[in-house]
């Protein structure tokens, strides 16, 4: 595509700028938006303020300055005349967002070296001129349908101009700036545009903010709203708008900007080298593919800048963090940078891993500092705690069915894959897995293994027999043979069947008595973990440091006092995401722990969601995720935590530490 990106003033308007008046101010080093402010003076202010030329075409939204004079009239009260214009609130900010794939592709071609592709920009303050409002908006730009109070107003409707003006002033009607066959035919060149706000002496101060915005890949867009309470998505401060240093973007795109010749003094001043940026890229995925995450904005990176100094930088939704350094005299060599740590919301620790790690999908992350290159963006993998990932799935099955361990294992498997491989995409995409998510799994394992989980597989409502498909995934993560255990104190560790870690994990989670007790296979399992269901599986594989609670079982145990202690532990030690196992009868618990099953009654492996409200500081029960669709409340009754109305004698719990 031809050059279509534009410097913010035309060459004609730039010729009116006093070169000596130009000052460039970049936002504070730790500002999330990294806006650029340009101040200059127009030599002939009587000729009127210069018009804004947005960087790229797209949909335009106006946000009125609440402190500006004038009103935002309803359509019926809108007088589309010069007299009416004089009463409107026409000072505010302008937002332009790319709205078609052709322009997206062209920006990518022109800005191939940009670490993040921008698609939204703001200009403030601007003035909506009379010509723009009464001519460009009403008859120059392509007319679109406008949602009225009771019906959609079509362009042919006689009152469409009233609705267009009212809707635009209120920020609810968003016309499109289109490309033409030639640069002169582009809407921004063919029609009058909004102008900069100019003082009577010709002074102009303009702030430009540039970002990337899109729906997140690992959660609902509404989650971004929760991170920005009271802030409109049209505001650059909203979490869904991942800021990119505007000065950096303009400098990189400079060779492709219309009216950005070095002979234009304003363009020359703006595009000169200034603050340097040393970016590094965070992804939640194991490979360095574009990420846009709800997990990034609540977190900040602490970056060491050499000689003991450090800077705290917000992480934008696109995951590219720009480490800034202002010019110094004399020039300095590139800094020595390290990612020291990542600050996370309270109670939500974040670990990370160098993206260059071999088979990073199968390596546990930590908090060891990572050197950052100052010459090319370093890839760093950020991991959401698995205990949070396991709660992200909202696709619950139809209530009922003998699918208790299958459902908890399905949830845990998909969460672990999102944690280590697909960065939250697998669960968020639900029943339609994108190609990029399939490719992430295929690159880690193979296409056949990826198909086990793609498109919502295995189905929540499927037969529990499909749990065997999930075992295959755990075997990919834990392929090494497990050690043999002396389980009877005789020193005998002989076994005819040797299990790998994934097989051991699966048998413990499912409490497969025939495997846990058979002479040829039983020594693959430690007595510490047998009969403890999902918590035992998680502890045995090394994904939990210890049980949160596990009553004794030998002899007459658990005694009434031990069951009371178990209840107290369950009501004080759990945190969301913990895996649980209960046995309806304490005699069954002893049978399973001693490998003498099957039980006379039943057991179950749900997942802890939260506590029920407290009375006198003690929770009245717990809420779990099981196979009954959504959350199940398990209140305490007669000194037992109940499950669907029945008291359960023994509870075991463990929390993930990955």
């Amino acid at each position: 595509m031809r050059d279509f990106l534009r410097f913010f003033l035309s060459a004609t308007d730039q010729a009116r700028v006093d070169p000596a008046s130009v000052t460039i101010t970049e936002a504070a080093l730790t500002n999330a938006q990294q806006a650029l402010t340009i101040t200059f003076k127009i030599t002939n202010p009587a000729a009127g303020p210069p018009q804004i030329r947005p960087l790229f075409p797209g949909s335009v939204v106006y946000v009125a300055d609440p402190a500006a004079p004038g009103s935002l009239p309803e359509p019926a009260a809108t007088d589309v005349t010069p007299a009416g214009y004089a009463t409107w609130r026409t000072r505010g900010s302008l937002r332009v967002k790319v709205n078609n794939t052709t322009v997206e592709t062209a920006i990518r071609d022109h800005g191939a070296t940009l670490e993040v592709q921008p698609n939204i920009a703001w200009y403030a303050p601007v003035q909506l001129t009379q010509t723009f409002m009464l001519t460009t908006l009403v008859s120059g730009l392509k007319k679109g349908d406008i949602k009225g109070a009771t019906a959609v107003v079509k362009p042919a409707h006689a009152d469409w101009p009233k609705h267009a003006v009212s809707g635009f002033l209120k920020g609810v009607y968003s016309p499109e700036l289109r490309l033409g066959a030639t640069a002169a035919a582009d809407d921004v060149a063919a029609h009058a545009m909004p102008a900069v706000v100019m003082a009577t002496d010709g002074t102009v101060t303009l702030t430009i903010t540039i970002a990337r915005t899109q729906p997140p890949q690992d959660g609902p867009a509404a989650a971004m709203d929760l991170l920005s309470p009271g802030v409109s998505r049209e505001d650059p401060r909203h979490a869904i708008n991942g800021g990119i240093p505007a000065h950096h973007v303009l400098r990189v795109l400079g060779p492709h900007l219309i009216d950005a010749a070095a002979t234009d003094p304003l363009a020359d001043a703006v595009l000169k080298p200034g603050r340097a940026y040393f970016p590094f890229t965070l992804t939640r995925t194991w490979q360095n593919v574009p990420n846009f995450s709800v997990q990034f904005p609540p977190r900040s990176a602490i970056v060491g800048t050499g000689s003991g100094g450090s800077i705290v930088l917000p992480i934008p939704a696109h995951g590219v963090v720009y480490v800034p350094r202002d010019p110094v005299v004399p020039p300095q060599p590139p800094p020595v940078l390290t990612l020291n740590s990542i600050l996370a919301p309270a109670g939500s620790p974040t670990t990370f891993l160098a993206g260059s790690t071999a088979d990073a999908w199968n390596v546990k992350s930590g908090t060891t500092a990572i050197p950052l290159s100052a010459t090319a963006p370093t890839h760093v993998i950020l991991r959401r705690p698995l205990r949070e990932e396991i709660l992200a799935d909202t696709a619950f099955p139809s209530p009922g069915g003998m699918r208790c361990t299958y459902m908890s294992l399905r949830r845990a498997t998909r969460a672990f894959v999102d944690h280590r491989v697909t960065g939250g995409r697998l669960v968020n995409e639900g029943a339609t897995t994108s190609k990029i998510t399939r490719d992430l799994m295929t690159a880690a394992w193979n296409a056949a293994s990826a198909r086990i989980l793609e498109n919502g597989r295995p189905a929540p409502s499927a037969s529990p027999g499909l749990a065997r498909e999930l075992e295959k995934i755990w075997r990919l993560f834990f392929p090494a043979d497990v050690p043999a255990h002396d389980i009877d104190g005789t020193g005998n560790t002989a076994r005819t069947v040797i299990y790998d870690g994934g097989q051991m994990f699966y048998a413990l989670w499912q409490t497969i008595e025939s495997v846990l007790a058979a002479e040829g296979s039983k020594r693959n399992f430690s007595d510490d973990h047998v009969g403890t269901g999902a918590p035992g599986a998680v502890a045995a594989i090394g994904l939990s440091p210890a049980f949160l609670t596990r009553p004794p079982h030998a002899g007459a145990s658990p005694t009434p006092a031990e069951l009371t202690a178990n209840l107290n532990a369950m009501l004080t030690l759990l945190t969301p995401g913990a895996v649980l196992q209960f046995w309806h009868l304490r005699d069954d618990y002893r049978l399973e722990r001693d490998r003498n099953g099957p039980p006379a009654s039943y057991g179950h492996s749900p997942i802890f969601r939260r506590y029920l409200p407290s009375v006198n500081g003690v929770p009245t029960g717990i809420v779990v995720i099981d196979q009954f669709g959504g959350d199940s409340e398990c209140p305490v009754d007669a000194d037992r935590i109940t499950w669907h109305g029945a008291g359960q004698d023994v509870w075991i719990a463990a929390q993930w530490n990955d």
Side-chain angles (χ1 to χ4, degrees):
M1 178 177 279
R2 64 172 171 84
D3 283 348
F4 66 97
L5 302 168
R6 293 180 183 269
F7 192 71
F8 58 88
L9 293 190
S10 69
T12 301
D13 278 334
Q14 287 185 69
R16 303 168 58 202
V17 174
D18 175 6
S21 69
V22 180
T23 60
I24 308 296
T25 305
E26 298 189 65
L29 296 180
T30 56
N31 184 281
Q33 285 73 50
Q34 287 294 289
L36 174 68
T37 299
I38 309 104
T39 301
F40 53 90
K41 184 172 285 190
I42 298 297
T43 57
N44 57 342
Q51 296 179 19
I52 286 289
R53 296 290 183 89
L55 176 61
F56 34 62
S59 60
V60 182
V61 170
Y62 169 72
V63 179
D65 181 350
S71 65
L72 306 175
E74 294 297 325
T78 301
D79 177 17
V80 189
T81 67
Y85 168 81
T87 68
W88 303 335
R89 189 176 300 165
T90 53
R91 190 181 75 225
S93 65
L94 210 64
R95 185 230 71 180
V96 182
K97 179 183 177 184
V98 175
N99 60 356
N100 70 68
T101 55
T102 299
V103 174
E104 283 263 7
T105 300
I107 294 174
R108 183 163 52 248
D109 291 342
H110 287 336
T113 59
L114 280 173
E115 301 78 17
V116 184
Q117 183 173 328
N119 66 351
I120 190 167
W122 291 263
Y123 304 85
V126 300
Q127 183 72 47
L128 303 180
T129 65
Q130 179 175 301
T131 304
F132 175 81
M133 293 301 293
L134 301 184
T135 303
T136 299
L137 179 65
V138 172
S139 60
L141 302 180
K142 180 182 178 182
K143 298 180 179 181
D145 294 347
I146 302 173
K147 185 178 181 181
T150 58
V152 173
V153 180
K154 298 288 185 180
H157 194 284
D159 286 338
W160 185 89
K162 293 175 177 286
H163 285 269
V165 168
S166 174
F168 187 73
L169 288 171
K170 292 182 176 183
V172 296
Y173 173 53
S174 177
E176 180 186 0
L177 300 178
R178 298 165 298 171
L179 293 178
T182 64
D186 293 346
D187 278 341
V188 295
H191 305 290
M193 290 289 108
V196 298
V197 172
M198 183 179 68
T200 55
D201 68 349
T203 299
V204 174
T205 298
L206 177 69
T207 296
I208 301 174
T209 309
I210 298 175
R212 173 79 191 175
T213 189
Q214 67 178 71
Q217 296 139 343
D218 58 350
M224 294 293 200
D225 298 330
L226 298 177
L227 299 175
S228 306
V231 179
S232 166
R233 292 187 189 179
E234 306 302 340
D235 191 313
R237 296 171 299 169
H238 195 283
I240 206 166
N241 302 313
I244 314 170
H247 204 184
H248 175 64
V249 172
L250 294 176
R251 288 200 301 254
V252 171
L253 296 178
H256 297 285
L257 296 181
I258 296 172
D259 293 333
T263 53
D264 293 319
L266 181 61
D268 182 57
V270 170
L271 301 181
K272 278 182 178 178
R275 176 181 290 173
Y277 290 96
F278 304 93
F280 64 95
T281 301
L282 288 164
T283 71
R284 292 195 60 208
T285 53
W286 81 281
Q287 291 184 320
N288 190 3
V289 299
N291 274 223
F292 204 86
S293 170
V294 299
Q295 296 301 314
F296 292 156
R299 292 167 165 80
S300 298
I302 300 181
V303 178
T305 55
S307 302
S310 64
I311 185 172
V312 180
L313 297 169
I315 302 175
H318 52 64
V320 178
V321 179
Y322 290 86
V323 184
R325 187 171 74 169
D326 285 327
V328 293
V329 178
Q332 298 293 315
V336 177
L337 303 174
T338 56
L339 175 60
N340 290 339
S341 60
I342 293 177
L343 296 177
S348 179
T350 298
T351 57
F352 47 92
L353 182 71
S356 59
T357 304
D359 293 332
W361 62 273
N362 207 20
V363 178
K364 191 171 184 177
S365 53
T367 56
T368 302
I370 295 176
L372 301 174
S373 171
T375 58
T378 301
H379 174 214
V380 177
I381 301 167
L382 180 150
R383 289 201 176 136
R384 180 189 193 184
L386 183 54
R387 70 187 193 191
E388 295 180 18
E389 205 74 68
I390 201 170
L391 300 176
D393 194 350
T394 58
F396 296 111
S398 299
M402 297 296 291
R403 292 180 275 117
C404 57
T405 54
Y406 168 64
M407 280 310 304
S408 58
L409 181 61
R410 178 185 182 275
R411 174 179 286 268
T413 304
R414 292 171 65 83
F416 194 60
V417 171
D418 259 344
H419 172 67
R420 289 280 191 95
V421 180
T422 52
R425 298 173 188 237
L426 181 67
V427 165
N428 186 56
E429 291 171 354
T432 307
T433 300
S434 67
K435 181 180 184 302
I436 195 168
T437 303
R438 291 196 305 271
D439 289 347
L440 287 164
M441 293 187 288
T442 298
W445 318 319
N446 52 59
S449 297
R451 282 194 291 272
I452 294 173
L453 298 180
E454 69 180 19
N455 299 330
R457 298 189 184 104
S461 58
S463 163
L466 280 181
R468 281 291 182 188
E469 292 295 288
L470 300 173
E471 180 188 27
K472 297 175 183 177
I473 301 299
W474 290 99
R475 296 188 70 183
L476 294 169
F477 282 106
F478 299 98
D481 292 344
V482 298
H485 296 275
D486 174 10
I487 62 176
D488 50 19
T490 64
N492 181 11
T493 58
R495 50 185 176 171
T496 58
V497 179
I498 299 175
Y499 275 26
D500 60 40
Q503 290 172 302
M504 175 195 67
F505 178 91
Y506 178 80
L508 288 170
W509 191 295
Q510 300 284 72
T511 310
I512 305 177
E513 288 104 341
S514 59
V515 169
L516 300 175
E519 182 62 31
S521 57
K522 65 182 181 181
R523 293 179 180 84
N524 290 289
F525 310 94
S526 166
D527 282 340
D528 285 341
H529 306 124
V530 168
T532 58
V538 171
I541 208 69
L543 294 177
S544 178
F547 293 100
L548 296 172
T549 180
R550 184 194 58 180
H553 71 282
S557 291
T559 65
E562 289 165 343
L563 292 181
T564 298
N566 180 222
L567 173 66
N568 291 337
M570 287 291 295
L571 295 179
T572 57
L573 300 180
L574 303 185
T575 51
V579 287
L580 310 176
Q581 171 72 34
F582 69 70
W583 295 105
H584 179 52
L585 303 175
R586 63 174 181 168
D587 289 344
D588 287 343
Y589 172 62
R590 286 196 294 269
L591 285 173
E592 293 294 349
R593 295 279 278 125
D594 291 337
R595 310 185 195 226
N596 290 322
S601 187
Y602 62 89
H604 183 27
S605 287
I607 295 168
F608 176 72
R609 170 80 78 181
R610 64 181 181 275
Y611 283 116
L612 289 172
S614 297
V615 174
N616 297 324
V618 179
T620 56
I622 64 175
V623 177
V624 302
I625 304 169
D626 55 20
Q627 77 272 32
F628 286 90
D631 297 343
S632 294
E633 294 189 354
C634 302
V636 175
D637 182 54
D639 294 326
R640 294 288 186 271
I641 296 176
T642 64
W643 180 72
H644 293 280
Q648 310 302 324
D649 279 357
V650 175
W651 291 80
I652 306 152
Q655 181 58 280
W656 310 91
N657 72 338
D658 204 68

